[in-house]
Amino acid sequence: MFNVETIRQDFPILSRKVNGKPLVYFDNAATSQTPQQVIDVIVDYYSNYNANIHRGVHTLSQEATDLYEAARHKIQAHFNAKHAHEIIFTSGTTHGINLVANGFSSFLKKDDEVIVSALEHHSNIVPWQMLCERTGAILKVIPMNEDGELILSEFDALLSKNTKLVFVNHVSNALGTINPIEYIIKKSHEVGAAVLIDGAQSTPHIVPDVQALDADFYVTSAHKICGPTGVGMLYGKEAWLKKLPPYQGGGEMIDEVTFEKTTYADLPHKFEAGTPNICGGIAFGAAIDYMNNVGFENISVYETELLTYATEKLLEIEGLKIYGTSDKKTSVISFNIEDIHPYDVGTILDKLGIAVRTGHHCAQPIMDFYKIPGTIRASFSFYNTKAEIDALVEGVKKAKMMLS
Ligand SMILES: *Cc1c(COP(=O)(O)O)cnc(C)c1O
C-alpha cells in the first residue's frame, strides 16, 4: 500500500526547515532527494568495503567488484537490456550523450543529417552541434506546437536516407511533455537512422523497456531517480557499442598496451576508462531497488493525482499561465504570472521554504519559442503532498500581490 507519510520518513531532508519554514521541495526535475536506504548503502561502502575494483585479488576489492557488477545487473534488469555489458556506467546523462556523439564522429561525413527536437535540454543539443562542426553533418530540428508537443508530420518530412541519427528526450525537463518515442524510433529505423533517447526525465516516472522500444541508445542519471550525483548509465545495443570507438583512454578499458599498439577491453569496460564512481554505481542500484519497492505503478497514479490537483489550483490564480499543456505529461508545471519575472517569484517562494526552479531550465530554445525569458517550474515527486501544493499556491498568490 502506498502511503506518502510513511514514504516521507525515508527522506531525512524532508524534515528540515528552510528560512524557518518546513522545506517544500519542488525541484525534483533538477535532482531528486535521497532516501535513507540509499544513504545507508553509501555509508556502508565507505565504512566496510571501499577498494578499487576489477584488479585486486584481495577480499575488499572482490567484494566491491561483486557489488558494482551486481548493480549493473540490477540496471540491466530494470531497463530490460538483453545483456549486462550493454549497460555502461557513466558520470550521468551528459557524459553518456557525449560518449555517443564522440563515437559518431567516425561514422558521419559531410552533408549527412542528424535530427534533434525543439524540446531538448542543452546537454542533448550542444554535443551534437560539436559533432556537426567536426564532421560537416547537418543538424535538423523537429519543431514544437503551443502545447509543447512535437509536430510529428514535420518530423516525418525531415526524415530521409541522409538521416543517420535522431536524438530526443523521452520527457521534456522544462515542460514535462512525454514524447512519442515509440513512433520516432520506428520511423527513424525505417530510413536506417539510429536513435538515442535522453531518459533523464522519464526514468523517475516510467520504466522504459529498451528492447520493446528498440532504442539504440538510452541514457539517464542516477540523481534524478533517488540516487547520488555523478553517476548514470548509457544503454547501447551490443552491435552499436561494438562499433563505436572508445571515448576516453586509460586504465580499465584496455586489453593489452604496448607503445606500438593498444587493444581495447571487451564491453562494457571499453567505455569505462579509469577508476569509476564505484560507490555511486552501487548506490544507483540501491536507488532502483528503492523505487521498485515503492512501485512505479503507485508512483504514476499518485503523481498524476498531484499534477491534476496542482494544475487546477494554480489555474485559479488570475494571470497565471502554464507552459506545456499536452495531456501526456509528467508531474511538472512550468508557469508564469503576468509579466512578473520568474526569478522574483522564486526568491519569494524560497523565503517561504519552497524550492522551485526559475529560469530557462537548460532549454533556451523552448523559452525562445514562447518568447519568454524563463518560467517558474514546480516538479513533483512521489514524496510530495497536496498540503505542500497548497503552500505553493498560497506562496504564489503572495508573490503576485507583492510584485504586481
Ligand atoms: C537533468 C537532465 C539532463 C542532464 O543530466 P546530468 O545529470 O546533468 O548529466 C539531460 N537531459 C534532461 C532531459 C535532463 O532532465
Side-chain angles (χ1 to χ4, degrees), residues 21-48:
K21 302 282 193 320
L23 167 68
V24 172
Y25 187 76
F26 285 159
D27 196 16
N28 294 288
T31 200
S32 55
Q33 294 303 342
T34 318
Q36 191 63 50
Q37 288 85 336
V38 173
I39 299 170
D40 287 346
V41 165
I42 295 168
V43 172
D44 185 38
Y45 173 81
Y46 284 108
S47 310
N48 293 309

Side-chain angles (χ1 to χ4, degrees), residues 29-30 92-95 121 123 169 171 173 198 200-201 221 223-224:
T93 302
T94 305
H95 176 193
H121 188 284
S123 65
N169 56 33
V171 169
N173 67 303
D198 171 353
Q201 284 304 321
S221 301
H223 71 94
K224 303 258 169 116

Side-chain angles (χ1 to χ4, degrees), residues 222-344:
H223 71 94
K224 303 258 169 116
I225 25 178
C226 296
T229 54
V231 64
M233 71 106 195
L234 158 69
Y235 159 79
K237 276 186 191 163
E238 183 185 51
W240 272 118
L241 293 179
K242 282 191 166 160
K243 261 207 287 201
L244 280 188
Y247 181 41
Q248 293 181 312
E252 284 282 332
M253 54 77 74
I254 50 90
D255 175 28
E256 223 171 21
V257 177
T258 65
F259 282 109
E260 287 70 42
K261 188 175 169 50
T262 291
T263 50
Y264 303 125
D266 288 337
L267 294 173
H269 307 295
K270 172 177 149 188
F271 293 108
E272 296 182 349
T275 302
N277 183 348
I278 302 165
C279 176
I282 296 167
F284 186 4
I288 284 183
D289 283 344
Y290 179 82
M291 299 285 284
N292 280 316
N293 275 336
V294 176
F296 278 86
E297 189 54 42
N298 292 331
I299 290 173
S300 167
V301 170
Y302 182 67
E303 288 180 344
T304 304
E305 202 179 307
L306 290 181
L307 176 66
T308 308
Y309 182 74
T311 305
E312 278 169 18
K313 289 280 165 188
L314 283 170
L315 285 176
E316 285 170 10
I317 301 172
E318 218 182 284
L320 187 142
K321 178 169 159 65
I322 292 179
Y323 298 90
T325 42
S326 173
D327 50 9
K328 291 196 182 61
K329 61 182 271 192
T330 56
S331 45
V332 170
I333 302 184
S334 246
F335 64 95
N336 276 328
I337 319 157
E338 292 159 356
D339 291 332
I340 302 172
H341 201 283
Y343 178 85
D344 296 333

Side-chain angles (χ1 to χ4, degrees), residues 23-167:
L23 167 68
V24 172
Y25 187 76
F26 285 159
D27 196 16
N28 294 288
T31 200
S32 55
Q33 294 303 342
T34 318
Q36 191 63 50
Q37 288 85 336
V38 173
I39 299 170
D40 287 346
V41 165
I42 295 168
V43 172
D44 185 38
Y45 173 81
Y46 284 108
S47 310
N48 293 309
Y49 51 91
N50 177 28
N52 212 331
I53 52 169
H54 295 146
R55 334 169 195 198
V57 292
H58 60 82
T59 303
L60 290 193
S61 173
Q62 282 171 9
E63 285 178 7
T65 303
D66 288 349
L67 282 152
Y68 190 67
E69 291 306 321
R72 193 191 306 276
H73 280 90
K74 268 180 205 172
I75 297 166
Q76 175 206 353
H78 183 71
F79 293 105
N80 195 30
K82 193 163 175 197
H83 306 290
H85 61 249
E86 292 175 319
I87 303 296
I88 311 295
F89 278 114
T90 62
S91 68
T93 302
T94 305
H95 176 193
I97 294 170
N98 277 279
L99 188 159
V100 176
N102 181 77
F104 265 81
S105 297
S106 325
F107 306 145
L108 294 187
K109 52 182 197 316
K110 196 171 169 314
D111 298 332
D112 279 343
E113 294 175 2
V114 298
I115 299 180
V116 68
S117 98
L119 286 175
E120 300 308 309
H121 188 284
H122 295 162
S123 65
N124 202 24
I125 302 175
V126 183
W128 307 110
Q129 287 175 324
M130 292 161 68
L131 170 69
C132 288
E133 270 172 34
R134 287 196 296 271
T135 59
I138 301 162
L139 185 73
K140 304 252 169 168
V141 185
I142 314 168
M144 61 186 270
N145 65 20
E146 278 292 322
D147 285 326
E149 295 165 328
L150 296 179
I151 305 173
L152 291 179
S153 56
E154 304 258 358
F155 167 63
D156 292 345
L158 289 177
L159 284 171
S160 77
K161 62 176 188 345
N162 296 331
T163 313
K164 297 293 181 261
L165 192 61
V166 176
F167 26 94

